[in-house]
Amino acid sequence: MITEDDLLAARTAWGNALIAISKAYEENGIEAARTLATQTLDAAYGYNMGPVLFKPTLSGGAQTFRTTQQGALSYFVGHDDTYPQDGGFALRNWREVRFETAASFINGNVGMWMGWAYFTDKDGNTTKADKTFGYQKDTEGTLRVVVHHSSLPFEG
């Protein structure tokens, strides 16, 4: 059974991984960032279980949705000719990620969280995103991201 603490731990780990990838890129270049991003995707996402329903914040057109690990990796670190629009979201000098919960839903081995994510870079600039994570425990009991939707808030 998934708990609220599990959802919090998963979000916290995701935010910490984003910061670590950003710092790896700054300190050691793209290959270090790519290696860490691959490890993060392997550990946190459910691509080993099937397609992940991933809609990144800054994606559009024919490549809006990233149901494969290659697509997710490109979104996070760019440098992939298959996804020429990707600049590498995780490479933006992030220093802090915090979350504000709107609501969560848990039913057995499936849990969902929706709210806002605030990303702060090394210059103190903060970007807010509407965020939804859906999780499922795999056969070993590891919580995996199987839905990841992110978008910039509507400004109307």
Side-chain angles (χ1 to χ4, degrees), residues 62-86:
Q63 296 182 327
T64 297
F65 303 106
R66 304 302 174 88
T67 59
T68 67
Q69 187 165 341
Q70 178 189 357
L73 180 63
S74 179
Y75 180 73
F76 285 118
V77 298
H79 297 83
D80 183 337
D81 292 341
T82 306
Y83 299 90
Q85 300 298 317
D86 288 349

Side-chain angles (χ1 to χ4, degrees), residues 23-46:
K23 288 182 177 179
Y25 178 67
E26 288 177 55
E27 296 168 6
N28 299 303
I30 187 59
E31 288 310 316
R34 185 186 322 277
T35 297
L36 188 53
T38 299
Q39 292 168 351
T40 298
L41 288 168
D42 288 343
Y45 284 75

Side-chain angles (χ1 to χ4, degrees), residues 48-119:
N48 61 327
M49 298 163 52
V52 171
L53 310 179
F54 181 21
K55 190 284 178 195
T57 313
L58 304 174
S59 64
Q63 296 182 327
T64 297
F65 303 106
R66 304 302 174 88
T67 59
T68 67
Q69 187 165 341
Q70 178 189 357
L73 180 63
S74 179
Y75 180 73
F76 285 118
V77 298
H79 297 83
D80 183 337
D81 292 341
T82 306
Y83 299 90
Q85 300 298 317
D86 288 349
F89 183 76
L91 309 181
R92 295 178 164 219
N93 303 315
W94 302 122
R95 292 297 185 268
E96 180 185 6
V97 179
R98 67 179 180 84
F99 298 94
E100 183 179 330
T101 299
S104 60
F105 169 87
I106 297 172
N107 186 353
N109 72 340
V110 173
M112 297 178 213
W113 176 91
M114 182 173 13
W116 296 275
Y118 300 87
F119 304 93

